[in-house]
């Protein structure tokens, strides 16, 4: 396999999936973000910290345009990053994955990574819209979130090694479940209160899940398809055997 | 017999340099979207990077939507 081709396919897959994620967010998540930021603005007016002057609104629309425009670019960057991780894991594990072709294998792996790196951490530290979150606790919250993702991801990797070595496969699943239950109990909750309309919160979180899920689905389909169409397994066989 | 041969080929077929490059892309991209608060542009713009947080604002909406703590 040509190294540059291998890297390019993985990065392109991630970028395409990330762009799709950004587009989904623009349509589904943005209305909830606008509503949440509207509440944030109202709180600033009520507290006297800001006044609803033409200058304030000009500033507001300017940075919201920057933020909304950035949704696609940030999606592409995050997608490329997560796609790189997905490509590493896929390339190292493809022969052990169930499925008769690259697309099915990639979809299976995406399902596992979606669950361990997104859904399970989300259950402990769910996404929150603007207005929720004290800037003073940002480092703590980032550390907790990253730590929980690392525990879940590395735990899944570790118990996969157990899965390969034991006859009774349920031991590995039970071990991973035990680890995550322990992490749920041991790790502190998000320290910030969530004082926001429950409908807005639920809508934001539901659309956020749809967006991230679309990423994992698209990255698997694109990488699996490219891998298969370009015959990367065959190329690697000839080159590196 | 043929199965064990296939696994051996796979292990030798993933170039290490590619894994390192992809891991670097992963770490950098994750930091840009999920964690930067002005750090990456600080070497160029100094304190202004932390005040303005251009990258943070650019990735703001995706950061919230992807589940990262934002502010």
């Amino acid at each position: 396999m040509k190294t540059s081709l291998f890297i390019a396919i993985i990065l392109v897959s991630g970028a395409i999936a990330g762009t799709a994620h950004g587009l989904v967010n623009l349509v589904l998540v943005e209305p909830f973000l606008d509503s949440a930021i509207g509440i944030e603005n109202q709180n600033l007016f009520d507290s006297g910290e800001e006044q609803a002057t033409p200058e304030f609104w000009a500033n507001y629309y300017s940075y919201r345009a920057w933020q909304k425009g950035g949704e696609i670019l940030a999606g592409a960057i995050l997608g490329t990053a997560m796609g790189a991780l997905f490509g590493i894991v896929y390339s190292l594990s493809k022969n052990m994955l169930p499925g008769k072709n690259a697309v099915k294998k990639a979809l299976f792996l995406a399902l596992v990574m979606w669950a361990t790196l997104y859904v399970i951490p989300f259950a402990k530290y769910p996404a929150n819209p603007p207005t929720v979150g004290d800037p003073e606790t940002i480092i703590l919250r980032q550390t907790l979130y990253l730590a929980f993702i690392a525990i879940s991801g590395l735990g899944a990797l570790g118990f996969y090694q157990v899965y390969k070595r034991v006859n009774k496969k349920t031991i590995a699943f039970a071990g991973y479940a035990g680890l995550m239950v322990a992490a749920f109990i041991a790790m502190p909750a998000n320290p910030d209160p969530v004082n926001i309309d429950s409908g807005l919160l639920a809508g934001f979180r539901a659309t956020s899940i749809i967006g991230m899920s679309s990423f994992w689905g698209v990255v698997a389909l694109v990488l699996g398809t490219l891998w298969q169409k370009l015959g990367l397994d065959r190329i690697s066989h000839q080159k590196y055997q | 017999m043929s199965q064990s041969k296939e696994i051996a080929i796979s292990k030798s077929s993933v170039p290490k340099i590619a894994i390192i490059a992809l891991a670097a892309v992963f770490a950098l991209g994750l930091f840009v979207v999920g964690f930067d608060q002005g750090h990456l542009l600080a070497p160029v713009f100094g304190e202004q990077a932390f005040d303005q947080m251009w990258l943070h604002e650019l990735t703001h909406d995706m950061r919230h939507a992807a589940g990262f703590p934002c502010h």
Side-chain angles (χ1 to χ4, degrees):
Chain A
M1 184 188 329
K2 236 178 140 183
T3 303
S4 54
L5 176 67
F6 172 80
I7 294 174
I9 285 169
I10 289 172
L11 296 184
V12 165
S13 305
I16 290 171
T19 303
H21 181 192
L23 288 169
V24 170
N25 283 355
L26 266 185
V27 175
L28 297 182
V29 186
E30 281 301 330
F32 294 100
L33 287 171
D34 283 335
S35 298
I37 293 171
I39 295 171
E40 213 169 37
N41 287 342
Q42 194 55 52
N43 290 341
L44 289 174
F45 302 149
D46 292 346
S47 67
E49 208 173 318
E50 290 284 355
Q51 288 186 323
T53 58
E55 192 189 356
F56 172 87
W57 289 113
N59 229 345
Y60 167 77
Y61 288 120
S62 162
Y63 85 73
R64 278 304 287 148
W66 174 250
Q67 290 176 335
K68 285 187 183 184
E71 180 94 73
I72 304 286
L73 180 59
I77 295 170
L78 182 64
T80 305
M82 296 305 292
L85 180 68
F86 182 67
I88 291 172
V89 179
Y90 180 79
S91 62
L92 294 175
S93 66
K94 62 184 187 299
N95 289 332
M96 278 86 87
L97 293 169
K100 287 181 180 170
N101 56 51
V103 175
K104 286 179 182 169
K105 285 170 185 272
L107 281 169
F108 178 83
L109 179 64
L111 185 67
V112 172
M113 291 179 73
W114 168 79
T116 54
L117 300 182
Y118 178 65
V119 177
I120 293 172
F122 188 98
K124 176 70 179 175
Y125 300 114
N128 283 318
T131 80
V132 177
D134 177 0
E136 296 295 316
T137 65
I138 183 67
I139 301 290
L140 171 66
R141 285 180 287 125
Q142 286 178 330
T143 306
L144 290 175
Y145 187 58
L146 193 62
F148 203 85
I149 291 174
I151 291 169
S152 181
L154 295 174
L157 209 58
F159 281 105
Y160 174 65
Q161 298 303 319
V162 175
Y163 178 89
K164 283 196 298 185
R165 287 168 174 75
V166 296
N167 289 329
K168 206 174 175 185
K169 305 297 184 191
T170 50
I171 290 174
F173 290 107
Y176 176 72
L179 173 72
M180 294 321 297
V181 168
F184 255 83
I185 296 166
M187 289 190 65
N190 182 337
D192 299 340
V194 182
N195 299 321
I196 192 169
D197 174 71
S198 59
L200 173 58
L201 186 65
F204 169 77
R205 287 178 177 171
T207 50
S208 157
I209 290 171
I210 293 170
M212 276 305 285
S213 305
S214 70
F215 165 77
W216 284 107
V218 173
V219 78
L221 286 173
V222 175
L223 182 65
T225 303
L226 288 176
W227 199 283
Q228 203 163 300
K229 295 272 182 206
L230 296 174
L232 288 190
D233 288 325
R234 285 197 304 278
I235 297 169
S236 68
H237 179 97
Q238 290 160 4
K239 178 91 180 173
Y240 284 90
Q241 192 179 7
Chain B
M1 183 71 180
S2 63
Q3 194 179 10
S4 64
K5 185 181 176 189
E6 202 174 303
I7 289 167
I9 290 166
S10 165
K11 280 183 177 173
S12 63
S13 68
V14 182
K16 277 184 188 158
I17 187 71
I19 300 292
I20 292 167
L22 290 169
V25 169
F26 166 65
L28 181 64
L30 192 69
F31 187 82
V32 168
V33 178
F35 299 95
D36 181 72
Q37 300 284 80
H39 306 87
L40 287 176
L41 295 181
V44 182
F45 296 101
E47 274 302 308
Q48 201 186 1
F50 293 105
D51 294 338
Q52 298 294 327
M53 293 201 292
W54 293 289
L55 283 180
H56 173 109
E57 295 299 343
L58 187 71
T59 62
H60 174 271
D61 287 15
M62 177 55 78
R63 191 178 289 207
H64 275 284
F68 294 99
C70 189
H71 45 66

